[in-house]
Amino acid sequence: MATIPPQLPLATRSALRRASSSVHFFTATSSFRHGATKLFLPRAFSSSVKLPTKPPLCTADELHYVSVPNSDWRLALWRYFPPPQAPTRNHPLLLLSGVGTNAIGYDLSPGCSFARHMSGQGFETWILEVRGAGLSTRVSDLKDVEDSAHELSHQIQSTAKAAAKEAQVTEIADTAPPASDVSVVGEASASASAWDESKIVARLTATFMRLAERLSGFLSEGQSVFMSAKLFDKIAMLLEDSRMYERFNEIRSKLLSLIESRQNSGLGNQIRELTQRLVNLLDDGQKSVSPQLIDLQERLTSTIEDFQKQLDLIVKYDWDFDNYLEEDVPAAIEYVRAQCKPKDGKLFAIGHSMGGILLYAMLSRCAFEGREPCLAAVATLASSLDYTTSDSALKLLIPLADPAQALSVPVVPLGALLAAAYPLSSRPPYVLSWLNDLISATDMMHPEQLEKLVLNNFCTIPAKLLIQLTTAFREGGLRDRSGEFYYKDHLSSTTVPVLALAGDRDLICPPLAVEDTVKLFPENLVTYKLLGEPDGPHYAHYDLVGGRLAVEQVYPCITEFLSHHDSA
């Protein structure tokens, strides 16, 4: 397993361990394709459906699922109908959430629901949960989708709260040494299990074959070698007799060469033969060295199992920002258009944080390709394509910019980490109180809504996604996965009206970052508004959506902007 930084609080480290070992998946394999996908073209969605019964978590009027072409993902769409007395509108509204968040942030409670407020203003409102977020799932059959939605709902509502409770007692548990680190000596060594050579050969062979073949669609050649080397390093740590290293390194070199070559002809037999030699070497080592290696089989088996879990995470969390942009958002737009049938075929869209970044990137790409986007107007809340000139707290992500980090730490279980940290930030002695400032300014969120947001709104994030987002902190701003297309370069050519909102105390997306993107748009199309006053109230990152004054100070300016551009 990946090493957890020792400087993290004990409760946080425990949550990371729990999250990395208990992430739930539905059996399917990601079908990500490395080739570029043509953006925003109409598609057919034969398996997109409205769910017959909503799970308890979903407080929308309906829950729909839209399939993503060339993928096994089914994305959740929360739907809110306008009441009969609401004004008639010409365009539906699509809401996009931030990185690692679900739909709950837009619908925290009946009295604090941005989605419900906008539907009350006459806009048929939809919230998209992108792949890996909220109630989105990988199953396809209608009954399975329904079962999956209810199971995910239960997990979101119960797991985070349980993690928060457990965090209070992890201090004792965290100091206990792992069972695998305790050597068996004396009389206990006599009861160690016999060395099962055939089982170890089979396990190792399967792992090496997977690196050489099955992961070829997910890992580049260099990444496969990097992962293989990591496994060999772990095995080498089990060998305490230096006399064995020369023989070990010879076998290691040949296996790495085979994995790197990925030759199909005879690959399996060659890897199997070398694996047998490696296990024979370990067998000789067990017989010839000190009793500390008597539990070698158990330790080696544990090493292989942990490594295989890491490979599973790489495969199942193999997506980035461009997957959202090129596949998820277009699928949702086409589905909403098909359901609502706006006369001009366009939608309104609002994005918070990464949701707004997705909208900016969409406008840029469409302008570059000379196409009209299916958007009548967009509003962004705390979003920017370029953070280089601002002092954003997201600079903490920069260490993840090394692609090797996506292999060492393939996912960041943000939900579990925040759930574990919440008791330490909201109760004496307030060890992590600074986390609250990242989310909400002082007294701007009701405590129960802040708790619901922290414990239920955040999900697991692929490191691969974070790696691409870190390009927003480099010269030129956010880039596509190839590193050659700069999303901010073509905003000046868009024809879509934009409202950009910023919070005066937003530590994640400071006003300066928002302004750096706003100034790229034609002046006649962009409206910028800074929320917050010198003497208060102040707005942090989530206050623009769920703050106690948002319904009075934020929502009306968004409604006014969209109403102005609602001509058919």
Side-chain angles (χ1 to χ4, degrees):
M1 298 296 289
T3 301
I4 300 172
Q7 65 269 28
L8 291 178
L10 292 175
T12 306
R13 282 185 280 146
S14 296
L16 182 56
R17 292 192 187 98
R18 289 195 302 274
S20 63
S21 63
S22 61
V23 176
H24 297 276
F25 303 103
F26 292 90
T27 53
T29 302
S30 172
S31 55
F32 169 77
R33 301 292 182 264
H34 286 278
T37 304
K38 190 67 174 177
L39 299 181
F40 320 127
L41 297 179
R43 298 169 172 134
F45 303 104
S46 58
S47 59
S48 300
V49 296
K50 181 184 82 172
L51 211 61
T53 60
K54 299 189 293 95
L57 183 75
C58 180
T59 49
D61 298 319
E62 293 178 350
L63 180 61
H64 291 241
Y65 277 87
V66 57
S67 60
V68 181
N70 302 319
S71 168
D72 51 9
W73 278 102
R74 304 295 181 268
L75 310 180
L77 280 164
W78 297 32
R79 186 180 195 177
Y80 301 78
F81 290 108
Q85 68 273 18
T88 301
R89 305 293 186 179
N90 296 308
H91 298 95
L93 172 63
L94 178 64
L95 306 181
L96 304 178
S97 303
V99 60
T101 60
N102 55 39
I104 292 174
Y106 282 121
D107 194 3
L108 283 172
S109 70
C112 184
S113 172
F114 180 70
R116 192 65 69 181
H117 178 90
M118 296 309 294
S119 67
Q121 298 299 310
F123 300 100
E124 183 172 320
T125 302
W126 301 71
I127 310 175
L128 170 64
E129 293 186 313
V130 293
R131 66 185 69 188
L135 301 178
S136 292
T137 182
R138 277 188 163 112
V139 299
S140 57
D141 180 79
L142 175 58
K143 182 62 169 63
D144 292 339
V145 170
E146 186 173 15
D147 292 343
S148 170
H150 283 268
E151 174 62 22
L152 287 167
S153 173
H154 174 73
Q155 289 177 18
I156 292 172
Q157 290 179 309
S158 63
T159 305
K161 290 184 178 181
K165 291 179 181 178
E166 291 175 11
Q168 301 176 33
V169 296
T170 53
E171 183 80 19
I172 297 176
D174 215 24
T175 58
S180 59
D181 291 342
V182 180
S183 297
V184 180
V185 294
E187 294 182 357
S189 64
S191 61
S193 58
W195 177 265
D196 191 338
E197 183 176 299
S198 61
K199 183 182 295 187
I200 296 295
V201 170
R203 283 177 179 267
L204 273 174
T205 300
T207 301
F208 292 139
M209 288 295 295
R210 191 174 185 204
L211 278 167
E213 294 179 343
R214 289 181 61 192
L215 287 182
S216 60
F218 302 93
L219 301 179
S220 68
E221 178 177 306
Q223 291 171 334
S224 291
V225 173
F226 175 84
M227 289 301 293
S228 305
K230 280 191 61 176
L231 176 58
F232 281 118
D233 288 343
K234 290 178 179 294
I235 295 175
M237 292 174 63
L238 302 177
L239 299 175
E240 299 182 11
D241 186 350
S242 60
R243 293 172 298 177
M244 302 164 60
Y245 280 177
E246 184 175 348
R247 294 166 59 194
F248 172 78
N249 285 330
E250 177 189 354
I251 299 172
R252 169 185 180 140
S253 176
K254 291 181 179 179
L255 275 168
L256 283 174
S257 178
L258 285 176
I259 292 171
E260 184 176 358
S261 68
R262 290 179 180 164
Q263 299 172 352
N264 291 323
S265 177
L267 178 68
N269 289 334
Q270 295 177 68
I271 287 181
R272 194 171 293 107
E273 290 173 3
L274 285 170
T275 303
Q276 182 68 62
R277 287 179 57 189
L278 176 60
V279 173
N280 289 342
L281 174 63
L282 295 174
D283 190 16
D284 291 343
Q286 177 178 276
K287 295 174 182 177
S288 62
V289 301
S290 59
Q292 281 80 358
L293 282 183
I294 199 68
D295 61 343
L296 181 60
Q297 176 178 341
E298 179 182 346
R299 295 166 67 186
L300 180 58
T301 299
S302 177
T303 297
I304 298 170
E305 289 176 349
D306 286 349
F307 185 80
Q308 289 173 338
K309 289 177 182 178
Q310 192 168 352
L311 295 184
D312 288 340
L313 288 176
I314 292 172
V315 172
K316 293 177 180 179
Y317 280 87
D318 190 69
W319 67 84
D320 55 19
F321 177 86
D322 285 353
N323 288 114
Y324 293 154
L325 177 67
E326 300 171 358
E327 301 169 17
D328 294 17
V329 176
I333 288 177
E334 291 304 320
Y335 185 77
V336 173
R337 290 175 63 195
Q339 292 289 314
C340 300
K341 298 180 173 59
K343 292 181 180 179
D344 61 358
K346 295 183 178 181
L347 283 66
F348 288 137
I350 298 175
H352 174 252
S353 194
M354 188 191 71
I357 297 175
L358 282 166
L359 294 176
Y360 285 149
M362 179 187 298
L363 297 182
S364 178
R365 180 74 79 171
C366 287
F368 172 73
E369 296 178 358
R371 294 181 292 105
E372 187 72 19
C374 302
L375 299 171
V378 305
T380 65
L381 314 176
S383 305
S384 177
L385 291 175
D386 190 343
Y387 293 80
T388 55
T389 61
S390 69
D391 190 21
S392 168
L394 289 182
K395 288 183 178 179
L396 296 173
L397 299 179
I398 291 178
L400 285 177
D402 180 0
Q405 283 293 104
L407 303 176
S408 299
V409 187
V411 299
V412 177
L414 182 62
L417 291 173
L418 289 178
Y422 183 70
L424 303 176
S425 65
S426 60
R427 303 166 197 164
Y430 305 105
V431 177
L432 298 178
S433 58
W434 57 270
L435 284 175
N436 291 343
D437 294 334
L438 294 178
I439 298 173
S440 178
T442 303
D443 296 328
M444 279 298 284
M445 262 193 192
H446 295 292
E448 63 273 13
Q449 291 170 358
L450 178 60
E451 180 177 5
K452 182 176 181 180
L453 183 74
V454 172
L455 296 182
N456 294 277
N457 185 56
F458 296 93
C459 313
T460 297
I461 308 174
K464 189 173 183 178
L465 168 62
L466 294 178
I467 286 172
Q468 186 174 357
L469 290 177
T470 57
T471 63
F473 294 89
R474 302 175 190 168
E475 184 178 357
L478 183 69
R479 310 175 196 177
D480 69 352
R481 70 169 64 98
S482 73
E484 299 176 359
F485 186 88
Y486 292 78
Y487 284 112
K488 61 184 288 186
D489 284 354
H490 306 282
L491 295 180
S492 60
S493 301
T494 188
T495 58
V496 178
V498 174
L499 170 66
L501 303 183
D504 66 329
R505 292 288 177 87
D506 192 335
L507 303 178
I508 292 177
C509 185
L512 183 58
V514 179
E515 294 168 12
D516 283 344
T517 298
V518 165
K519 66 185 181 183
L520 301 172
F521 286 91
E523 290 187 9
N524 64 316
L525 289 179
V526 67
T527 303
Y528 170 68
K529 184 173 179 62
L530 176 64
L531 279 301
E533 301 294 336
D535 297 326
H538 300 292
Y539 284 82
H541 198 61
Y542 279 91
D543 295 327
L544 296 173
V545 177
R548 60 183 176 84
L549 296 179
V551 67
E552 302 172 14
Q553 299 183 353
V554 183
Y555 300 174
C557 68
I558 296 175
T559 301
E560 180 183 356
F561 171 78
L562 295 182
S563 300
H564 179 72
H565 296 285
D566 194 39
S567 58

